Amino acid sequence: MLKCKVLSCLWFTSLLLRLIDPSSAAPTEAESIKCSISVSEPVSGPYSISLTVSTPGPNCSFSVSSPDAGADGAECRRRRREGDEEETETNEIRGRERGEEEVKEKTGANYLGTNQLGVEDGGDKEGGEVYTCVLDNLEPGTTYQLEIQSQRDQETANVTLHTKPSAVSGLAVTSRTCSSLGLSWQAGLGRTQRFRLQLWDQTGLLRNETLESTATQHTLLGLTPGRLYNVTMVTEADGLQNDRTTAAQTVPATVANLTATDHVNGTGLSLSWQRPEGDLDALVVVVLSTNGTALWEATLPPDETEAVVVDQLTPGSAYRVEVMSRSGELTSQSEVTVRTAPAAAALLSLSPSSSSSGGLLLSWSPPSGRWESYRLLLLDGSQQLVSTALDREAANFSFPGTGLTPGRLYRAVLRVESGGLTAESSCEGATAPAAVSDLHIRHSDETSLSAMWSHAPSGSRDGYFLTIRHGNVTVDTREVEPNMRECTFNVLTPGRSYTITVTTRSGKLNTSVSLEGRTVPMALRAINLRSSGVNGLQAFWEKPPGDVDSFSLILLQDSVVLQNYSVPVGSFSLLLAGLIPGALYRLQAAAVSGDLQSEITGLEGRTAPASVSEVTVSNGGRSDALRSSWRPAVGVVDGYLVRLLDGARTVHSLAVSRSSTPECSFSSLVAGRLYSVVIVTRSGGLENATTVQARTQPATVQNPTAVHSARDDFLKVYWRHAAGDLDRYVVLIRYNNSVLQNKSVSAGLNECVFSSLSPGRLYTVTVETWSGEYVGSVSTDGRTFPAAVGNLSLGNAGTGDLSVTWSPAPGDVDHYEVTLLFNDTRVFPPVALGSEVRHHRLTSLTPGRLYKIVVSTFSGPNQRAQFIEGRTVPSAVGNLHLAPRSVGGLLVSWTPGDGDLDMYIVSLSTTIKQFSAF
C-alpha cells in the first residue's frame, strides 16, 4: 500500500510538470499506449443517458456527443482510484456527484446507478482507467446515436441507446362504485409507444392490460366491493419502461334485506340484515328522528347481522334507520323508515256516568309517546254495542244510557292507533240503578225539613239511603224501605241551607238524587231605631240564631212605604237617609235566608229637627248690643230657643215660636267681647242647635296724643286705654293718606314711638282697637321737630353790612326767619324768608361791631334755630395829620371813625425803617 502511494505521488508530479510546460515534457512509455474505448454499463433515464468507458491508456480524456441530441457534447469524468491525490479525488467526486444529482433529478427513482457506484468504489484493479459519461437534456423515450471520442488520440466508439419514457402524471381515481374504478391520467413528456395498466391487491398482480399511447382514462370492472387496490400505470418505449402507482379502493357494498320490528312495547326496535359482499371494516347503525336528529348509534363488527335498540325510542313514532358499510374512508348505506308500535292507554275505568241518563263513563290516561287516534268499543258479552273513533286529544267518553240496562255489566275496549299499528287495553263496568224522580221539599219550618219523591219507573232497588248535609258536613242519615216516599229531618238550624240526597241502592251500585232545602230563619228580636241627624234614622239590631243571608228593612210614614232595603248579613246597622227633619217614621224588619223570610218586627223613630240656616249676628257698629236673625228650619219644628253665651255662661235666653218673626236682640253688653248665639230647633223631644259667634264693636282709645320730644325724626304716641275687651292696639302713621309705618301694641300698653321720620312733617296718627275681626279707631295729628339749616356761613362783610348763606334744612319747611342780635338783643325785627331762599344780606349795620345772626327753620308752630357770629369792617379814621413835634419827633393826629373799635395802630415808615406805635 505504501508503494502504491509513492507511485501515485510521482505520477501526479509528472502530470503537474507537463501542465506547467507541456512542450518541455517528452512522451513517456506509458503515454505511448492508446486510449482505446470499451463501453459498458449503460443507464438510461427519461432525460439523460449514462455509460461507463474503460481504457488501458493513461492520462486519457473523453467526451460524449450525439447528433440527435441537438446540443454540444459532454466531457466524461474519470473515476477515482485508490491512491489518487486528495484534490483530484475531490474534484472528481464533486463532478460525479453533480452528474449523479442531475441524472437522479431527471430519471427519478428509476435511475439505475447501483452497479456503477460499485465500480467506482473498486476502480480498475488491473490498470487503465474508467470514466463515466453522462449526456443530459434529452427527450424521454427517444433513440440516440452516441459517439465517445478520446481527446488525446482521437480514438472513437459509437453506441445506440434509448432514453426511458416518462411516467404519466395526474394518475387519479375519477369514479368508483362497489365493483368498478374509473381512472384518468395525462401522458408524460416525450415519446410513448403504449401504456400497460396493472391492478394489484394484497395477493399479487390481478390484471395487466395494454392500452394505446393516446389513452387518458380507463374503467376497471368486476372488482370486489370495499377492497383496497394498487393501480400501476406503466409507460413503454423501445423496450424501456417507467411507471406511476396510486392506491384506489372500491365503495363497500350495502347491507341487504334491512328490516326493523317493534321491541319492548314501542320503546325499542329489533334490526336485522344480510352481510354485504366484499371487504368491510365495520358497520355503523344509526337511528334518526324524522327531523334528522341522531337518537342512537352503534359501530358493529363487519360480520354482525342484527342489532337491538332498547328503551331509547318513543312509542308510535316514525324513525329512519341507516346501516352504513364502512371500508377505509369509504361508506355506503341502506336505510328504511319504520314506526314503533303505539303504547296502550293506561288506567282505564268504566263507571256510571254522573249524568242522570244512566250511561257509562270511560276514562283513561293517555299513552306515552305518539299516536294518531283511538278506536272505542263497548261490548255486552260478545255483542258489540258501540264502535266509534275518537281524536287523540280525548281522555274520556260517555256512553249514553239509551239502550243500556241499569245495573248491567259491560266491557269497554280502547285501541290506540298509530300508522296502522295498534295497542289495545280494556276494562269492565256496570250501569247504576235508576234514581228516584220528582224529589221535592214538602214542608219546612224553623227547625225541620220534610222531603218527598216518586219511585223510578224501571229497574229494581234494595232500598233508599237518605243523608242531610250542610256544606261538607253530614247532619243526619236515614235508611228507609224501598216502598217509602217521604222522610222528615228535625232539630235543624233556622235559616240554614241543607242538601238532602236520596240514594237508590242496588247491590254495590248507588244512584243518588239531591235537592236543596232551607229552614225558615228566626225573626229579629233585638232591634233599635234612633235619630241620625236631621235627614236620617239609624237602625241597630242583633243577628238572630241560625243562618241569615240578609235583612229586609221597610221604612213607612203614615202607612206609606218610603224605602225598602236589603242589608247583607255582615251588617247590623243601617242609615236611613233622605228623610224629613223632625218627622215620625215606622220601620219593619225581617231576617232573610235564601228565598225565605222571617216574621216581621216593627218599631217607630223620629228624625232630629233641622237646624236654622242663614244665621246672621251683627253689632250694628254698637259696642253694647247684638242683633240676630235666621231662616226658619225645614221639616217639622215645634219652636226655637235662643241663648246668648259669654263663654260657658248664659247671659240671656229667649223663646221664639215657630210662627213669630225669626229674630231677636240683646243689649247692655261689654264692648269688644266675643259672644255665642245658640239657636235651638225643637221637635218632639229632640233638639238641634246652631251656634254662631259674634263680637260687639270694640271701644276706641281716649285722648290720643303725638309729640316730637324736640327730635326732628321722631314722634311718640300715647293714649288712654279703651273700655271693654280688646286683643291689641295697632298704631298707624300716615302721610298723604299713605301708611308709612304701623306698630302692633299689646293690650296692656298705651304708647309707642315712630322713628326715621322726616323733620318738620305733619303726620296723621291713628290708634286702632282690635277685638277679633272688629276694629275701632281714632286719629290725631303730630308734627316732627323741624331740622336746622346746614352749612351756615358768612360772605364778604362791609363796614355796614353782613351776608349770610346756608343750605336748606332737610324735611318739610314752611319758611325761614333771620334775626340779628347784638349783645343778645334783637337789632331789627326778624326777617321772614321763603323756604326756597338760601342767603340774606343785612345792611345798615354799625362798622366794626360783632353781631350774632340766627337763621330759624319754621314748620308749623315749631322752629329750629342755627346761629353764627360775624363782625362788620371797622370804619377808617378821618383828618389824619403828621406834624413835627420836637427835635427828632412827629405828632400824628386824626378824628375817630364811626362805629366800634378796640384800638388804633399807628405806624410810621421811612425808606429805611418802619416804626409802629399803639
Side-chain angles (χ1 to χ4, degrees):
M1 292 297 289
L2 182 58
K3 182 179 180 180
C4 290
K5 289 183 179 178
V6 172
L7 292 175
S8 177
C9 291
L10 293 174
W11 177 83
F12 178 75
T13 304
S14 175
L15 178 61
L16 182 59
L17 292 174
R18 260 193 283 174
L19 289 174
I20 296 173
D21 189 5
S23 61
S24 62
T28 64
E29 180 180 357
E31 291 177 345
S32 63
I33 301 174
K34 290 185 176 292
C35 294
S36 59
I37 299 172
S38 174
V39 179
S40 63
E41 302 177 7
V43 177
S44 295
Y47 302 99
S48 65
I49 295 175
S50 174
L51 52 87
T52 300
V53 175
S54 302
T55 181
N59 302 323
C60 296
S61 63
F62 300 95
S63 65
V64 61
S65 62
S66 173
D68 299 325
D72 296 335
E75 291 188 0
C76 300
R77 298 189 301 276
R78 185 173 66 86
R79 296 186 185 179
R80 180 181 61 84
R81 295 184 300 174
E82 185 177 357
D84 286 349
E85 291 297 330
E86 181 180 355
E87 181 179 358
T88 304
E89 178 184 347
T90 300
N91 292 336
E92 289 181 355
I93 290 176
R94 289 178 178 171
R96 184 175 69 252
E97 287 175 349
R98 284 196 298 270
E100 290 173 354
E101 288 173 359
E102 293 174 358
V103 171
K104 288 181 180 179
E105 289 175 359
K106 297 176 181 178
T107 61
N110 294 321
Y111 175 65
L112 304 178
T114 304
N115 292 334
Q116 177 184 346
L117 292 175
V119 174
E120 289 182 354
D121 290 341
D124 186 2
K125 304 299 184 180
E126 302 300 330
E129 295 179 349
V130 178
Y131 294 84
T132 298
C133 302
V134 179
L135 191 62
D136 295 325
N137 301 318
L138 305 181
E139 183 178 358
T142 304
T143 302
Y144 289 94
Q145 296 292 331
L146 301 182
E147 181 183 76
I148 300 95
Q149 185 177 17
S150 171
Q151 301 297 318
R152 182 165 65 86
D153 53 11
Q154 306 301 316
E155 286 288 329
T156 63
N158 293 316
V159 63
T160 300
L161 294 176
H162 307 278
T163 55
K164 289 178 62 173
S166 60
V168 298
S169 62
L171 178 60
V173 178
T174 58
S175 65
R176 70 185 81 215
T177 65
C178 293
S179 59
S180 66
L181 289 171
L183 304 172
S184 67
W185 63 90
Q186 294 177 357
L189 299 176
R191 189 170 63 86
T192 300
Q193 290 180 343
R194 68 185 65 83
F195 295 116
R196 188 173 301 279
L197 180 60
Q198 297 176 346
L199 182 66
W200 306 74
D201 67 2
Q202 58 185 358
T203 62
L205 180 64
L206 302 178
R207 298 185 188 180
N208 192 352
E209 301 179 11
T210 301
L211 305 176
E212 295 294 332
S213 62
T214 58
T216 59
Q217 58 184 9
H218 186 69
T219 300
L220 295 171
L221 303 175
L223 305 182
T224 301
R227 181 157 295 178
L228 181 61
Y229 295 94
N230 281 333
V231 178
T232 300
M233 183 64 67
V234 181
T235 307
E236 295 183 348
D238 296 324
L240 297 179
Q241 296 180 345
N242 205 345
D243 61 75
R244 184 81 66 189
T245 300
T246 186
Q249 188 172 18
T250 53
V251 177
T254 59
V255 300
N257 297 327
L258 175 60
T259 59
T261 58
D262 181 61
H263 183 75
V264 194
N265 297 327
T267 61
L269 291 173
S270 293
L271 309 175
S272 63
W273 58 87
Q274 289 182 356
R275 188 192 187 285
E277 297 179 354
D279 296 347
L280 193 65
D281 293 338
L283 294 172
V284 179
V285 183
V286 182
V287 179
L288 303 98
S289 63
T290 54
N291 61 6
T293 303
L295 304 177
W296 185 86
E297 181 176 344
T299 301
L300 305 178
D303 294 333
E304 193 69 52
T305 59
E306 62 182 19
V308 177
V309 184
V310 182
D311 296 333
Q312 300 276 339
L313 308 181
T314 302
S317 298
Y319 295 94
R320 189 169 81 249
V321 179
E322 297 178 354
V323 179
M324 183 185 303
S325 303
R326 190 175 67 196
S327 182
E329 299 296 328
L330 301 179
T331 62
S332 62
Q333 68 181 33
S334 294
E335 65 179 51
V336 64
T337 300
V338 297
R339 183 183 295 272
T340 54
L347 303 177
L348 264 68
S349 174
L350 185 62
S351 59
S353 175
S354 59
S355 65
S356 61
S357 64
L360 290 171
L361 174 65
L362 177 66
S363 61
W364 62 89
S365 294
S368 59
R370 296 184 176 88
W371 68 98
E372 296 172 356
S373 61
Y374 298 107
R375 169 64 61 177
L376 180 61
L377 306 175
L378 183 66
L379 303 175
D380 183 2
S382 60
Q383 182 183 3
Q384 179 177 299
L385 302 180
V386 178
S387 176
T388 183
L390 303 177
D391 58 37
R392 67 184 310 275
E393 285 77 19
N396 57 69
F397 183 79
S398 293
F399 298 97
T402 305
L404 300 182
T405 303
R408 179 72 58 89
L409 184 66
Y410 296 92
R411 186 168 70 92
V413 177
L414 182 64
R415 292 175 184 166
V416 181
E417 300 177 345
S418 178
L421 301 177
T422 63
E424 187 175 289
S425 54
S426 65
C427 68
E428 292 184 344
T431 54
V436 301
S437 61
D438 191 26
L439 179 62
H440 62 280
I441 300 296
R442 190 185 68 84
H443 169 75
S444 67
D445 58 22
E446 294 178 346
T447 59
S448 67
L449 284 173
S450 178
M452 179 173 281
W453 64 88
S454 298
H455 300 304
S458 63
S460 61
R461 57 190 176 274
D462 298 335
Y464 295 111
F465 180 76
L466 285 85
T467 60
I468 183 168
R469 300 188 314 276
H470 174 63
N472 295 324
V473 178
T474 300
V475 179
D476 198 1
T477 62
R478 302 283 177 86
E479 289 190 19
V480 298
E481 297 298 323
N483 59 344
M484 294 289 292
R485 297 180 55 243
E486 184 178 359
C487 181
T488 300
F489 296 95
N490 298 306
V491 194
L492 303 180
T493 302
R496 180 160 291 179
S497 175
Y498 292 93
T499 300
I500 298 176
T501 302
V502 180
T503 302
T504 306
R505 289 182 169 179
S506 179
K508 295 182 179 181
L509 297 177
N510 300 321
T511 301
S512 299
V513 178
S514 300
L515 85 162
E516 290 189 357
R518 188 183 298 271
T519 54
V520 178
M522 282 283 190
L524 295 173
R525 295 289 182 263
I527 185 168
N528 185 27
L529 184 66
R530 64 170 180 250
S531 173
S532 178
V534 299
N535 299 110
L537 291 172
Q538 187 80 36
F540 300 91
W541 62 90
E542 293 181 2
K543 177 183 174 297
D547 293 351
V548 177
D549 293 338
S550 62
F551 301 99
S552 175
L553 289 91
I554 300 174
L555 184 67
L556 302 94
Q557 185 181 27
D558 297 331
S559 301
V560 177
V561 176
L562 300 180
Q563 298 176 5
N564 195 340
Y565 298 94
S566 179
V567 181
V569 68
S571 299
F572 301 104
S573 65
L574 176 66
L575 176 63
L576 306 169
L579 307 183
I580 298 174
L584 183 64
Y585 293 91
R586 181 173 180 80
L587 181 67
Q588 295 180 348
V592 178
S593 182
D595 55 354
L596 299 181
Q597 181 174 295
S598 70
E599 295 180 0
I600 295 175
T601 301
L603 67 163
E604 291 184 343
R606 183 186 295 273
T607 56
S611 60
V612 298
S613 60
E614 299 182 15
V615 179
T616 60
V617 180
S618 64
N619 55 33
R622 295 179 58 182
S623 60
D624 62 344
L626 288 174
R627 181 179 181 277
S628 176
S629 64
W630 62 90
R631 180 182 292 277
V634 297
V636 180
V637 178
D638 294 340
Y640 305 99
L641 177 65
V642 185
R643 296 194 297 268
L644 182 68
L645 304 180
D646 182 3
R649 181 175 63 89
T650 300
V651 179
H652 296 288
S653 181
L654 179 64
V656 180
S657 67
R658 64 179 181 180
S659 59
S660 300
T661 302
E663 64 180 13
C664 64
S665 299
F666 302 99
S667 59
S668 301
L669 305 181
V670 179
R673 180 158 296 180
L674 181 64
Y675 292 93
S676 295
V677 178
V678 182
I679 303 175
V680 181
T681 307
R682 293 178 171 180
S683 180
L686 302 178
E687 294 182 349
N688 198 349
T690 300
T691 302
V692 177
Q693 288 187 327
R695 191 183 296 272
T696 54
Q697 185 74 18
T700 60
V701 300
Q702 303 296 316
N703 300 324
T705 304
V707 295
H708 55 67
S709 300
R711 293 174 60 179
D712 60 8
D713 63 345
F714 175 89
L715 282 178
K716 179 179 180 181
V717 184
Y718 58 90
W719 59 88
R720 290 174 58 190
H721 285 295
D725 295 348
L726 59 95
D727 297 332
R728 68 188 186 280
Y729 298 111
V730 176
V731 184
L732 302 96
I733 186 167
R734 292 184 175 88
Y735 177 70
N736 286 341
N737 297 321
S738 295
V739 176
L740 304 180
Q741 298 181 34
N742 66 79
K743 297 287 182 69
S744 180
V745 181
S746 63
L749 301 178
N750 65 339
E751 64 178 24
C752 71
V753 297
F754 294 98
S755 59
S756 301
L757 304 179
S758 295
R761 180 161 292 178
L762 181 64
Y763 292 94
T764 299
V765 179
T766 301
V767 181
E768 296 179 340
T769 307
W770 283 83
S771 183
E773 73 276 12
Y774 292 103
V775 59
S777 63
V778 61
S779 299
T780 186
D781 291 334
R783 186 185 296 273
T784 54
F785 198 64
V789 298
N791 301 320
L792 183 62
S793 61
L794 294 175
N796 295 328
T799 58
D801 61 88
L802 287 173
S803 294
V804 63
T805 60
W806 63 88
S807 56
D812 292 352
V813 177
D814 291 340
H815 65 276
Y816 298 110
E817 282 189 359
V818 180
T819 304
L820 185 65
L821 300 176
F822 174 66
N823 290 333
D824 294 330
T825 301
R826 200 161 49 185
V827 178
F828 301 119
V831 178
L833 302 174
S835 59
E836 73 281 359
V837 177
R838 301 292 179 265
H839 59 87
H840 183 67
R841 185 176 182 81
L842 299 168
T843 58
S844 302
L845 304 183
T846 301
R849 181 164 290 179
L850 180 63
Y851 292 96
K852 179 185 289 186
I853 303 171
V854 180
V855 180
S856 299
T857 306
F858 278 83
S859 182
N862 302 321
Q863 64 173 323
R864 181 74 173 270
Q866 182 73 289
F867 69 90
I868 190 173
E869 290 184 342
R871 188 184 295 275
T872 55
V873 176
S875 61
V877 299
N879 302 317
L880 179 60
H881 295 281
L882 181 62
R885 180 68 182 248
S886 61
V887 178
L890 290 174
L891 176 64
V892 180
S893 62
W894 62 84
T895 60
D898 297 332
D900 297 342
L901 59 92
D902 294 333
M903 59 181 176
Y904 294 106
I905 298 174
V906 181
S907 58
L908 179 64
S909 62
T910 65
T911 57
I912 299 175
K913 290 182 180 180
Q914 179 176 325
F915 300 94
S916 297
F918 297 94

